[in-house]
Amino acid sequence: MQSAAGASYRERAARILRAVPPISEPAIGPAELARRAGLDERDAPRAEAAMAVLGVLGVLELRTSGQGEPLFRAATPIAHGCIRSLAEHLDQGMAVFLNWGRAEAGADSSADGSAVLSGPRFLFAMESRRFAETGTSASPLAAAEIAQVVIKEGAAPGGESRYLVQYDARSRQYQLIGGHRRPDDGTIEHTVIRELEEELTDFSFHQDSDTVTVLRRFERLAVSRTSGILTRYRIVLFHLRTRRERIVLGPADRWVSERELNSGRADDGRRILFSALTDLAGGLAGLEPAVPAVLAAPAGAGPPRWGLVRRHPWEAMGLVLGLLGLAVSILQLL
């Protein structure tokens, strides 16, 4: 391994970038930045020059000490991811922007330039290209544990089973109900129960009527569509069983077919984030439905079809007999 003195300029620059503290830590000056990078005081001017370049990108929070020394740290967690991604590009000898020789930047006057200048979108494009170039050997800059739950609706007569997804406006895609494990979630099971209660309308998990079981545990390396950072996801996929009468749908919820779910694209053209259950015996078709088709209801809907009949059979029978008697009386008058 090369010493700090023998390291190339590119390697020294990458070390300096990795030494930039996140926003959760105090800002530091050029000399401390060089020291944390494993360099010596002679590299302090290089560290300050590197910070000047980062300052142009808007990813730094810049301060001045009481002695007039410049102090630096990342402006936000996403900005910190951008700085670390730049370090990875330096190590791999990769350029961030290409095709500088083409005179096409303003060719499409209808294009919205603000989309290109969006920090997270810029980072997403940068990280996506790094991932495409280096594949599974690319170093993830973040890790996350995710709980997701398959909620299956039984097939109606002559129909097919459907599965509940929810549209996420930030990532612009449908996803299964679920989310990130939080520090105060005791277990991943606590995560999935919390997500069910937070994301479904009028849903409160009851141990005597609701059950979640693990279907699959797997890892996936992907660029986050919200933060833009290449992330290693540890995903636990659950299956919900319930004895409740219905699942109320919110405005972002919809049922999709198995075909849509496995293809990764809903019939409305929007993307569906889902990893097919290729290693599950019977696949999705083999899963027990969480609710019958007639019990799934949109938000604001009344009782499910025939729900009152099931709950009040004698009253319903009396109503039917009364209607038949009225019909007979009317016929006798004709």
Side-chain angles (χ1 to χ4, degrees), residues 28-35 40 43-45 47-49 51 69-72:
I28 59 176
E32 175 64 13
L33 195 60
R35 187 190 68 79
D40 55 38
D43 287 296
E48 189 167 357
M51 295 305 98
E69 179 188 33
L71 302 175
F72 319 99

Side-chain angles (χ1 to χ4, degrees), residues 244 264 304:
R244 64 184 62 239

Side-chain angles (χ1 to χ4, degrees), residues 91-290:
D91 279 345
Q92 297 295 329
M94 295 167 54
V96 175
F97 296 111
L98 302 176
N99 304 322
W100 288 105
R102 295 182 181 179
E104 297 178 354
D108 184 2
S109 59
S110 65
D112 183 7
S114 63
V116 179
L117 298 178
S118 167
R121 292 191 185 186
F122 165 71
L123 178 56
F124 179 82
M126 188 167 68
E127 283 285 83
S128 294
R129 180 175 175 273
R130 179 171 76 90
F131 187 33
E133 289 284 337
T134 57
T136 55
S137 64
S139 300
L141 303 181
E145 192 170 5
I146 304 291
Q148 292 183 318
V149 57
V150 176
I151 303 176
K152 182 177 180 178
E153 176 199 42
E160 59 181 342
S161 296
R162 299 187 300 173
Y163 303 85
L164 186 60
V165 294
Q166 188 173 78
Y167 185 70
D168 181 14
R170 290 192 306 166
S171 60
R172 301 180 300 281
Q173 63 188 0
Y174 288 111
Q175 303 175 158
L176 297 177
I177 300 298
H180 288 70
R181 180 176 179 178
R182 296 177 183 172
D184 56 347
D185 288 337
T187 65
I188 196 67
E189 285 77 12
H190 291 147
T191 302
V192 73
I193 291 172
R194 174 180 54 75
E195 291 290 343
L196 281 166
E197 294 182 333
E198 290 178 355
E199 296 188 1
L200 290 180
T201 303
D202 297 330
F203 187 96
S204 180
F205 190 89
H206 297 292
Q207 297 287 346
D208 57 346
S209 61
D210 304 312
T211 306
V212 287
T213 54
V214 175
L215 289 177
R216 184 185 178 200
R217 298 177 187 268
F218 61 100
E219 291 191 357
R220 183 167 60 89
L221 194 63
V223 180
S224 167
R225 295 178 68 86
T226 51
S227 71
I229 298 173
L230 182 62
T231 304
R232 184 177 301 283
Y233 293 97
R234 295 178 176 87
I235 302 171
V236 182
L237 193 61
F238 289 88
H239 177 215
L240 173 69
R241 295 182 180 89
T242 181
R243 295 202 303 269
R244 64 184 62 239
E245 289 198 344
R246 61 174 177 163
I247 291 179
V248 180
L249 303 190
D253 303 332
R254 66 170 289 177
W255 296 98
V256 297
S257 67
E258 184 174 338
R259 170 187 53 79
E260 292 173 278
L261 199 60
N262 284 329
S263 70
R265 187 74 58 179
D267 287 343
D268 64 6
R270 290 172 171 174
R271 184 172 181 263
I272 302 175
L273 180 63
F274 176 70
S275 297
L277 296 172
T278 54
D279 56 353
L280 181 70
L284 288 170
L287 289 179
E288 176 186 336

